[in-house]
């Protein structure tokens, strides 16, 4: 099976809604139509930008999917400051990141919370991008696969094969996020293949063949081709490099099959 690549731009807490509109328009202007026929691109701006970015994508008929960086698992209630998956669905959000390492490390998200979010995101017809990854200490202790595969199993708990096949897993070694350090293409391939193997074990081989696995961690135009050329790497979750439309447009073009 050929899996369609997905390149996702995670803007983190950058770009107000005016800057967001300009950035999306510039990115679209820079990308040839043919590229967008071969690769899915999702843009994940901060919550305050979502409505503006949704409008510009829809009015200008851009081939971009709208993404969110996070959500709560409940539809409504006394959760001050949180954002409902039901509200994201209303904005035509297509992809929602769950369990980004910054959320896990800075805001105490656990595997159990990530699992509840995945259920909620899928209940609202959106696609979760579930992030997994090891710290530098875990890597140096030889525990990369134990950590990453443990997060995969916990995050996917209770999901059917069909639900697993339709979601996205992002392998993001924590030591490579925002540090300029990238896993080698071989390392990225090894861990992504191990993730696919684990999915085959907890679901079946057809599910493992279908699930898309992104690599994330200092991906830029200069390393995109090599990383995306790996057989088990189906795209990228991109932070810093997605903030510059010129760089992100090059990266997307270099990621096409
Ligand atoms: C990310 O935000 O998920 C990420 C991988 O960031 P960066 O590309 O800046 O390392």
């Amino acid at each position: 099976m050929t899996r369609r690549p997905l390149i996702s731009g995670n803007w983190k807490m950058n770009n107000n809604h005016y800057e967001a509109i300009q950035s999306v328009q510039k990115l679209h202007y820079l990308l040839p139509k043919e590229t967008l026929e071969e690769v899915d691109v999702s843009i994940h701006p901060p919550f305050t930008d979502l409505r503006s970015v949704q409008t510009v994508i829809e009015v200008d008929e851009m081939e971009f999917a709208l993404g969110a960086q996070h959500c709560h698992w409940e539809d409504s209630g006394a959760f001050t400051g949180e954002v409902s998956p039901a509200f994201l669905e209303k904005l035509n959000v297509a992809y929602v990141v769950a369990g980004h390492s910054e959320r896990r490390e800075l805001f105490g998200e656990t595997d159990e919370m990530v699992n509840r979010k995945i259920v909620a995101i899928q209940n609202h017809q959106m696609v979760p991008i579930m992030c997994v990854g090891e710290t530098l200490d875990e890597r140096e202790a030889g525990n990369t696969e134990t950590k990453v595969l443990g997060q995969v199993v916990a995050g996917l708990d209770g999901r059917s094969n069909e639900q697993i096949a339709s979601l996205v897993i992002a392998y993001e070694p924590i030591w490579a996020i925002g540090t300029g350090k990238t896993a080698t293409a071989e390392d990225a391939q090894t861990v992504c293949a191990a993730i696919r193997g684990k999915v085959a074990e907890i679901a079946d081989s057809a599910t493992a063949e279908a699930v898309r696995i992104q690599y994330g961690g200092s991906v830029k135009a200069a390393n995109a081709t090599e990383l995306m050329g790996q057989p088990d790497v189906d795209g990228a979750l991109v932070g810093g490099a997605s903030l510059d439309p010129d760089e992100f447009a090059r990266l997307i073009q270099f990621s096409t099959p």
Side-chain angles (χ1 to χ4, degrees), residues 3-64:
R3 293 172 295 269
R4 196 174 154 83
L6 169 66
I7 309 295
S8 304
N10 171 23
W11 288 358
K12 312 190 191 206
M13 199 171 71
N14 295 290
N15 285 339
N16 64 39
H17 68 288
Y18 295 115
E19 293 161 339
I21 292 169
Q22 283 176 352
S23 186
V24 168
Q25 282 173 329
K26 181 161 184 199
L27 181 67
H28 192 255
Y29 169 78
L30 290 168
L31 283 168
K33 232 183 167 28
E34 306 78 65
T35 301
L36 292 169
E37 280 163 10
E38 296 193 18
V39 55
D40 291 335
V41 175
S42 62
I43 312 286
H44 301 246
F47 286 129
T48 49
D49 302 357
L50 281 173
R51 179 68 171 144
S52 309
V53 174
Q54 178 210 8
T55 305
V56 80
I57 287 177
E58 291 180 5
V59 169
D60 292 351
E61 297 181 9
M62 296 176 178
E63 306 83 344
F64 294 150

Side-chain angles (χ1 to χ4, degrees), residues 130 132 148-157 169 195 198-199 202:
M130 178 179 79
V132 295
V148 168
L149 302 184
Q151 289 179 322
V152 169
V153 172
L156 300 182
D157 188 38
I169 300 173
I195 293 172
K198 183 51 81 178
V199 172
I202 57 180

Side-chain angles (χ1 to χ4, degrees), residues 221-239:
N223 57 25
T225 307
E226 213 195 340
L227 286 161
M228 298 313 122
Q230 303 305 309
D232 285 296
V233 179
D234 307 316
L237 181 53
V238 184

